[in-house]
Amino acid sequence: MSEEEWERFLRESVEGVPGAPVEPSARAREVERRLGESPGQPEGWRTYAPARPRHRTGWYVTGLVVVVALLVVTLFPQQVVGWFGGDGGGQDGAPQAAESERPKEAPGAERDLPPTLAEPFRGSPAARWADGAAGITVPPAEATGWMDTSQVERALRRSRDFLVAAGLDSRVLRGERPTKAIALLNPHQEDVQEYLRTALSSKVPSGRTDPLLLFSRFRPEQSRLVGDVVRTRGRLTYREGRKGAVEVTGDVTFVYPVTPAADGGRDSEVVRTIVRRKVVMSWDDPAEVITEPGTLSLVSYTLDMTNGGCSAPTGYFVPPFGTDDEQATDKASLVDPYDRSKPIDTSNGTRATGGNCATATRS
């Protein structure tokens, strides 16, 4: 045997001949025999089966729905309330959706609960109305008459400012001069300026010069507001008026909870004075009408009120504490002060100027 053959023999003896069958060991033959006798292949460390992934599609869908619902409630809270709320509810009811058009009917009946100092609006539709200026809906602006879109938007905003200054300013409610509201009125409108001079200086106003026709005022020594919240509900609308003017109409109901000024007890009587105003304001084209920038001209102004006094005009609302003020109440004429589905009845101006008052079906 040559040296090369001898080296190959030694190498194959140690490493084995490539391709030659390998004789299994006794242990391997025993394991193979046991596996052959088993009815099924056991799951052990030699036979790993990967875990099957669990499908969580249901949880993902549920989470997505919750997120979308929260987003809708955050962006459109009043609209969502309107879907579920209706017109009923008491002090603890959800806020009512903003008024975007004239309602078709009066609000539903409320729980028969009297107002208190802690809950001055309970038992009335105003329990679900917005506070102050938030209750006056301002529509989207579009170019109208002589104004472009941005000018109409400004006119709408200032029109609401006038209603707020005339009906919500705390100083005006205490009987002080309505300075902010007057500053928004066209100083060149002579008939309105004459009305203001007479109404705010006369101690005994007549029906035509009663400051209540435009401004909400209470006599401090007779009554005071309960808290600092007035509930409102209403809206602005606009159209093109005379000579290209932008004519804005505000139709708003104000609910003022008041109590006797001299009574500071926990059981003080609370009366709600309810005032609905309709004010038509004209934003005139300075090329057509003499006016001042940022001021409006008044076209008309009317009001309807409940629990504001049925005697001769005094220039202030006079809530009927301790009495139904029956001496001048017209039992044959009924009115729901919360019903905004009907226009203000101007056929009987006595409710705004003194004399007989209609009987409120609720207050």
Side-chain angles (χ1 to χ4, degrees), residues 72-95:
V72 171
V73 172
T74 301
L75 296 177
F76 309 101
Q78 292 183 326
Q79 287 82 348
V80 173
V81 167
W83 297 341
F84 299 98
D87 288 333
Q91 182 76 5
D92 298 329

Side-chain angles (χ1 to χ4, degrees), residues 14 37 41 65 72 107 133 168 208 228 241 291-292 322 328:
V14 177
E37 292 175 355
Q41 186 176 6
V65 171
V72 171
L168 295 173
R208 293 181 178 275
D228 56 359
T291 185
E292 294 295 327

Side-chain angles (χ1 to χ4, degrees), residues 156-176:
L156 290 171
R157 186 171 61 251
R158 289 179 176 172
S159 296
R160 184 173 67 170
D161 289 344
F162 175 79
L163 296 175
V164 169
L168 295 173
D169 189 307
S170 59
R171 291 173 297 180
V172 177
L173 293 177
R174 294 193 300 265
E176 297 182 22

Side-chain angles (χ1 to χ4, degrees), residues 62 66 73 94 101 136 168 218 231 275 277 283 317 338 359:
T62 302
V66 171
V73 172
E101 59 183 9
I136 306 174
L168 295 173
F218 294 89
R231 290 288 169 86
V275 181
R277 296 188 181 279
W283 293 90
F317 293 130
Y338 297 101
T359 300

Side-chain angles (χ1 to χ4, degrees), residues 107-119:
E110 307 294 324
R111 292 180 297 168
D112 187 15
L113 296 172
T116 65
L117 292 176
E119 296 179 295

